[in-house]
């Protein structure tokens, strides 16, 4: 397996900023990659799960569950919150999505290879989320953590602060 080159991407967890979504070609590419990812893991990316991921990507890759529920309701009528949460739970399990606790939101993972932990840099003012793909930094935190809190295995490291624009 080849490891994808580290890169970062900025996402936004605005409440009604659906305009920041990706171009159609890039959206299709991300969804096709998600399909291949699930197929390889023998996981069922059902039409609904795929659609929730699509809506998340259309919102710029980061959104709150109730915004996705609104989007889905606009397309299909009444949608129970559990429908959204179950779909997000599946996407989390498949590592296609990360939970952003600092914003109470969900961010689409922009990396194709599997990774056990993620580092998310979150702007507390504007809600920008950047997935920081820095393997050595992540491993260094893990290693130091073993000295301070032995046995602890973080799944996500969130770094909260202010982005350049908000400072
Ligand atoms: Zn990720
Ligand atoms: Zn900001």
């Amino acid at each position: 397996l080849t490891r994808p080159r580290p890169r970062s991407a900025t996402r936004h967890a605005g409440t009604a900023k659906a305009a920041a979504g990706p171009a159609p070609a890039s959206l299709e590419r991300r969804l096709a990659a998600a399909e291949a990812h699930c197929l390889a893991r023998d996981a069922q990316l059902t039409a609904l799960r795929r659609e929730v991921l699509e809506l998340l990507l259309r919102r710029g890759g980061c959104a709150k569950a109730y915004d996705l529920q609104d989007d889905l309701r606009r397309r299909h009528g009444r949608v129970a919150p559990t429908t959204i949460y179950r779909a997000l739970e599946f996407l989390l399990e498949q590592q296609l999505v990360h939970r952003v606790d600092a914003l109470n939101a969900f961010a689409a993972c922009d990396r194709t290879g599997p990774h056990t932990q993620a580092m998310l840099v979150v702007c507390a003012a504007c809600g920008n989320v950047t997935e920081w793909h820095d393997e050595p930094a992540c491993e260094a935190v893990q290693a130091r953590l073993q000295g301070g809190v032995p046995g602890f295995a973080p799944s996500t490291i969130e770094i909260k602060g202010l982005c350049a624009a908000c400072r």
Side-chain angles (χ1 to χ4, degrees):
L1 273 173
T2 53
R3 206 172 242 188
R5 276 188 28 238
R7 63 197 172 93
S8 295
T10 300
R11 271 76 53 83
H12 204 282
T15 45
K17 296 186 182 75
S26 127
L27 181 71
E28 281 310 312
R29 197 169 52 238
R30 292 284 294 272
L31 290 170
E35 271 167 16
H37 174 82
C38 287
L39 200 66
R41 293 164 64 106
D42 223 0
Q44 283 277 334
L45 186 68
T46 60
L48 176 74
R49 291 163 171 172
R50 188 186 190 277
E51 189 168 11
V52 170
L53 179 61
E54 181 211 324
L55 293 170
L56 181 59
L57 291 168
R58 282 188 188 281
R59 279 188 173 266
C62 191
K64 292 177 191 291
Y66 62 73
D67 288 326
L68 298 173
Q69 191 188 343
D70 274 354
D71 293 347
L72 204 59
R73 187 164 39 215
R74 237 169 264 136
R75 287 182 177 182
H76 302 288
R78 221 181 103 75
V79 174
T82 49
T83 306
I84 287 290
Y85 280 108
R86 273 196 217 115
L88 285 169
E89 210 54 57
F90 170 85
L91 296 170
L92 284 166
E93 273 167 32
Q94 301 308 317
Q95 301 180 331
L96 291 167
V97 159
H98 298 297
R99 198 190 301 275
V100 190
D101 285 327
L103 301 173
N104 191 23
F106 297 86
C109 179
D110 58 9
R111 188 168 172 183
T112 44
H115 48 302
T116 46
Q117 68 273 142
M119 283 197 293
L120 303 174
V121 180
V122 182
C123 176
C126 71
N128 259 328
V129 178
T130 303
E131 187 165 353
W132 188 26
H133 300 301
D134 186 326
E135 216 63 48
C138 202
E139 277 159 19
V141 170
Q142 293 266 51
R144 294 300 295 246
L145 196 58
Q146 285 314 304
V149 192
F152 188 82
S155 51
T156 306
I157 298 165
E158 286 186 20
I159 301 168
K160 205 170 149 187
L162 292 175
C163 75
C166 292
R167 281 173 64 216

